Amino acid sequence: MDTVSDIDPMHQALAEQLAADGVQYALGGWIDVNGRVKSKIVPVNHLPNLLAGSERYTPRGISGLGEMTPNEDESVAVPDLSTLRVLPWDRRFAWMAADLMFGGREPFSHCPRSILKRQVAAAADAGFTFNLGIETEFYAFDPASLERTDGYLQPGWRSGSMKLTPAYDLESTLDAMPFLDRMVAAMQETGFGVYSFDHEGGDGQFEFDFDYAPALEMADRISFFRLMTRQIAKQCGLLATFMPKPYTSAWGSGHHYNMSLADVETGENLFRDSEDVQGKGWSKVAYGFTAGIMRHARALAAITTPTVNSYKRLSPRLADGTASWAPVWSAYGHNNRSCMMRLPYNRPALENRAVDSAANTYLAAAFLLAAGLEGVAQSLDPGDPVDELTYETDGGSASSVRLPRTLLEAVDAFAEDPLVHEVFPADFVTEYIDMKRQEWDEYHAQVTPWERDRYLLDL
């Protein structure tokens, strides 16, 4: 790739137009297993070469997934021109999402974007378009507070002395507008279609809600969103994090997935049916999709809640004893926010509340889509919906299973699930399992202050 014959004259004209608009650099960002953007940067006049695959990488070993050997071929990043965005917070740069091609010939097995594209294509072959909306949550901290508080980050803003939670608190939101306003402006400029934002349950925790899109487009958006959030936060003197639960007393940060299937030809949403036997307006396709995800819930957790810290969020209670609003059972309910799967009244989409802010959107969307389509193809029945608070029951339904309590439980379930080996390449599965088990072992080997407080003087 990147020979003279590969250069498209239209790409040269695009580079000249971008340069005239003040763009100095271009990049084709690929995504590592942790969801972080990785890329080389080229001068904008090299954009045609970049689009022709000029930039090569040795990605194995990045983020701890696998091990690169000196005799292994490189991967080539091939940018998707349809994703091009000029960075609103720094207009010197033009960004594109990229696929990693191994040796320039075939999708690299560890490329999350390629894994999702394969599942999207399988859905299209079955007659479906997979649409996805994500409710993004994150924390914004004041990094300067580390010097004042013995290493404990304080939220960027704190208004009043609310005993319960600052969720939806207008004054807290208005205090944060120097940051939030820049976020909204950047998101609107780059096509997110923001329709609301608010202060969430934790001090310095925020949520943005924006238009749904086909799954690949949404995953590209989220990759850009994570980069944008951290960069704009830095420009405002803040530190933004997508860690699911930064502190014991903190509310967890979810990334609730709102999923639907549409007819690939007509675009008609296939999750609604006025003749629903439950009288809730959902179709057999919707119930089958729900049941498929419930069937694979424990294995899905290794991807949708992928860190040791994730399982501090998947707990029925917060540190003060109040409800966490995070699921612990794979149950579903029509408007029950204590269930993993919620079938809401106000939109024709299934909400998975288990996914957290650490999830790689490409990998999570691929596995969820495959699980849901299995449920549709096999006409699975999710059982009866659950109305009661699941924290105080055994899940409320014969179809429910307890979600993993630790990353190790989730990874073991992932290793044993046959669908995993259909969704992910074999070497990805092996190396992902190894990486996550090592993560668990490193965490489990640590002796914590809690243990010393509990046992040191009493044993």
Side-chain angles (χ1 to χ4, degrees):
M1 303 183 74
D2 189 30
T3 65
V4 174
S5 61
D6 293 324
I7 303 300
D8 188 328
M10 294 182 64
H11 295 165
Q12 184 63 47
L14 173 61
E16 293 170 0
Q17 181 59 56
L18 288 169
D21 292 338
V23 174
Q24 300 176 37
Y25 306 101
L27 60 98
W30 52 274
I31 309 302
D32 72 10
V33 71
N34 291 326
R36 289 183 67 91
V37 178
K38 306 289 186 178
S39 184
K40 298 178 183 179
I41 298 174
V42 303
V44 70
N45 64 347
H46 195 66
L47 174 65
N49 308 77
L50 174 65
L51 290 167
S54 65
E55 303 313 307
R56 294 178 173 270
Y57 299 86
T58 53
R60 198 185 306 275
I62 300 298
S63 304
L65 186 63
E67 182 178 351
M68 181 69 189
T69 59
N71 62 322
E72 186 173 282
D73 204 351
E74 298 168 303
S75 290
V76 174
V78 181
D80 183 340
L81 187 56
S82 71
T83 66
L84 187 144
R85 294 175 168 95
V86 175
L87 303 188
W89 65 91
D90 191 338
R91 299 183 186 281
R92 294 175 300 165
F93 296 90
W95 173 95
M96 292 168 286
D99 298 306
L100 280 179
M101 307 300 289
F102 187 63
R105 296 181 297 274
E106 59 187 21
F108 179 53
S109 61
H110 294 175
C111 175
R113 195 170 192 264
S114 298
I115 290 171
L116 176 56
K117 287 173 73 173
R118 186 166 59 250
Q119 290 305 312
V120 167
D125 289 343
F128 303 117
T129 296
F130 181 43
N131 289 320
L132 182 60
I134 297 181
E135 303 169 46
T136 56
E137 295 179 351
F138 63 91
Y139 276 89
F141 291 113
D142 173 12
S145 65
L146 284 173
E147 300 176 3
R148 305 191 301 267
T149 57
D150 192 27
Y152 187 95
L153 283 164
Q154 294 289 337
W157 304 268
R158 189 191 299 274
S159 294
S161 57
M162 290 160 285
K163 293 183 178 179
L164 294 178
T165 170
Y168 309 131
D169 183 67
L170 181 57
E171 186 173 349
S172 299
T173 307
L174 293 176
D175 287 347
M177 282 307 294
F179 166 58
L180 299 178
D181 182 54
R182 293 182 68 173
M183 284 289 297
V184 172
M187 293 171 72
Q188 297 293 50
E189 179 180 325
T190 49
F192 278 72
V194 179
Y195 56 79
S196 72
F197 58 97
D198 63 87
H199 198 295
E200 273 297 312
D203 283 320
Q205 185 185 36
F206 300 96
E207 177 179 313
F208 284 92
D209 296 315
F210 41 88
D211 291 343
Y212 72 87
L216 182 64
E217 180 181 342
M218 178 56 67
D220 291 339
R221 275 189 200 170
I222 295 298
S223 296
F224 187 80
F225 177 84
R226 290 164 68 98
L227 176 69
M228 173 172 58
T229 301
R230 285 190 286 258
Q231 289 292 304
I232 293 178
K234 290 175 186 176
Q235 291 182 349
C236 294
L238 301 168
L239 183 155
T241 180
F242 293 90
M243 182 178 179
K245 193 172 174 69
Y247 291 104
T248 300
S249 59
W251 285 65
S253 288
H255 259 39
H256 300 165
Y257 276 36
N258 293 274
M259 304 168 287
S260 64
L261 293 179
D263 184 284
V264 74
E265 297 292 339
T266 68
E268 177 188 2
N269 187 296
L270 299 174
F271 277 5
R272 287 299 200 197
D273 185 349
S274 60
E275 298 183 3
D276 177 10
V277 295
Q278 292 192 29
K280 303 295 186 180
W282 296 97
S283 68
K284 291 182 179 179
V285 172
Y287 287 122
F289 200 91
T290 300
I293 290 173
M294 291 171 63
R295 170 188 276 185
H296 296 281
R298 288 180 59 80
L300 276 160
I303 296 292
T304 61
T305 46
T307 71
V308 164
N309 181 253
S310 296
Y311 298 87
K312 306 297 176 70
R313 170 180 167 264
L314 292 185
S315 175
R317 302 287 171 185
L318 299 175
D320 63 5
T322 58
S324 69
W325 293 64
V328 295
W329 289 89
S330 69
Y332 86 98
H334 287 293
N335 211 36
N336 187 345
R337 290 176 174 83
S338 72
C339 293
M340 181 183 78
M341 298 296 293
R342 174 178 171 240
L343 279 61
Y345 296 141
N346 65 340
R347 55 188 181 273
L350 312 177
E351 179 185 5
N352 185 327
R353 297 178 59 81
V355 190
D356 73 25
S357 56
N360 179 309
T361 310
Y362 300 95
L363 300 178
F367 198 1
L368 285 164
L369 174 57
L373 288 179
E374 180 183 273
V376 172
Q378 298 182 16
S379 300
L380 297 183
D381 183 355
D384 296 328
V386 178
D387 296 323
E388 64 266 25
L389 187 66
T390 59
Y391 305 150
E392 300 169 355
T393 71
D394 60 357
S397 169
S399 301
S400 302
V401 297
R402 182 61 164 82
L403 296 178
R405 290 173 172 82
T406 68
L407 178 62
L408 182 60
E409 280 188 46
V411 173
D412 286 347
F414 183 82
E416 296 167 2
D417 192 313
L419 185 61
V420 165
H421 303 277
E422 297 179 24
V423 176
F424 303 103
D427 57 341
F428 176 93
V429 173
T430 299
E431 293 179 2
Y432 188 80
I433 290 170
D434 288 345
M435 180 187 75
K436 289 299 173 180
R437 283 179 173 159
Q438 181 180 355
E439 181 179 338
W440 167 260
D441 288 343
E442 290 175 2
Y443 164 74
H444 194 56
Q446 300 299 312
V447 178
T448 65
W450 183 93
E451 292 170 275
R452 284 189 289 272
D453 290 343
R454 180 85 174 221
Y455 304 122
L456 187 66
L457 298 180
D458 293 337
L459 295 178

